[in-house]
Amino acid sequence: LAKTTQPISMDSYEGQEVNITCSHNNIATNDYITWYQQFPSQGPRFIIQGYKTKVTNEVASLFIPADRKSSTLSLPRVSLSDTAVYYCLVGDGDSSYKLIFGSGTRLLVRP
Amino acid sequence: DTAVSQTPKYLVTQMGNDKSIKCEQNLGHDTMYWYKQDSKKFLKIMFSYNNKELIINETVPNRFSPKSPDKAHLNLHINSLELGDSAVYFCASSPQYTGANVLTFGAGSRLTVL
């Protein structure tokens, strides 16, 4: 079964760059690594997805090393509205049909 | 137009009762899921269906029975509710179940068992 590890919480200030790392072993070879954001009383919302190296979209970047045993979500210049819980999602190496969430990182952005 | 809708949003019931949560997606996706989020915010897969066929049943007690009448719907029925069933249940859907898979989630159904 895939095992994932994320920091429980992180603090930052507005305008700073925030990097959140998820360690994951035994993930599915063919599956992508995806990150989600969750606000209170809402479902998780897709942020970014990648397979290897670096991916960038309008809200974040995702860095995945060649061994794919970790991934780092990078949020440039965070604002108060980025305060949320962030999860990585990976496919289980024993059964890629099974998508496993990381434990989540609670990000608090201060003014 | 809500992409993944769940009903009810809140459910308060007594131990031993039976309850259902309904989920519908209008995205044309083939795969649907149920996840359970506990009080510590851990999200755990319960079931996954692809084109109405069960492909994941993650050691969930038999009291939980998913039903997929068509690929746009995945309902969750829970028998003999227990205190430990209190959680937020999220339905999700995706175009397929492997590869570059992006899940779209509903807003959640908060179940409280008294």
Side-chain angles (χ1 to χ4, degrees):
Chain A
L1 192 67
K3 286 194 179 295
T4 57
T5 304
Q6 293 183 237
I8 293 174
S9 63
M10 296 181 72
D11 276 18
S12 183
Y13 291 92
E14 280 191 294
Q16 288 189 331
E17 179 185 74
V18 170
N19 296 310
I20 306 173
T21 296
C22 176
S23 299
H24 32 72
N25 59 13
N26 193 29
I27 65 171
T29 305
N30 297 327
D31 276 2
Y32 282 55
I33 296 160
T34 314
W35 281 78
Y36 290 81
Q37 176 191 56
Q38 187 180 27
F39 296 114
S41 301
Q42 294 186 24
R45 187 177 72 166
F46 171 82
I47 302 174
I48 196 167
Q49 181 181 72
Y51 185 78
K52 263 184 188 174
T53 65
K54 178 182 174 182
V55 177
T56 297
N57 63 19
E58 61 276 9
V59 298
S61 294
L62 180 60
F63 302 90
I64 303 170
D67 65 7
R68 292 180 18 104
K69 291 188 175 180
S70 67
S71 56
T72 299
L73 173 71
S74 181
L75 303 172
R77 298 178 299 283
V78 294
S79 63
L80 297 178
S81 62
D82 292 320
T83 292
V85 181
Y86 293 83
Y87 296 92
C88 60
L89 179 68
V90 300
D92 182 20
D94 294 334
S95 169
S96 64
Y97 304 163
K98 192 184 303 180
L99 297 174
I100 298 183
F101 275 98
S103 51
T105 299
R106 189 179 299 272
L107 173 65
L108 174 62
V109 180
R110 302 178 188 273
Chain B
D1 209 14
T2 305
V4 180
S5 58
Q6 301 179 224
T7 54
K9 189 168 175 63
Y10 300 98
L11 193 51
V12 181
T13 189
Q14 300 286 334
M15 269 198 316
N17 283 351
D18 304 338
K19 291 294 177 186
S20 292
I21 306 172
K22 295 186 176 182
C23 179
E24 176 182 4
Q25 55 97 1
N26 62 7
L27 298 167
H29 288 168
D30 283 347
T31 309
M32 295 187 73
Y33 312 80
W34 278 109
Y35 278 85
K36 179 180 180 181
Q37 186 169 48
D38 61 22
S39 57
K40 295 183 178 178
K41 304 297 184 187
F42 293 131
L43 279 155
K44 187 173 178 184
I45 180 73
M46 298 175 69
F47 300 103
S48 175
Y49 272 72
N50 187 62
N51 272 321
K52 303 190 300 174
E53 298 295 325
L54 179 68
I55 56 173
I56 290 287
N57 179 346
E58 189 52 17
T59 59
V60 178
N62 291 338
R63 299 183 295 104
F64 291 78
S65 51
K67 283 198 172 41
S68 183
D70 54 62
K71 73 175 192 177
H73 295 84
L74 181 60
N75 303 323
L76 184 64
H77 187 75
I78 315 170
N79 289 328
S80 304
L81 279 156
E82 301 176 357
L83 294 176
D85 298 331
S86 295
V88 181
Y89 292 85
F90 286 100
C91 177
S93 72
S94 65
Q96 71 274 342
Y97 56 85
T98 59
N101 205 8
V102 176
L103 275 63
T104 301
F105 283 83
S109 298
R110 181 177 293 276
L111 171 64
T112 302
V113 182
L114 303 175

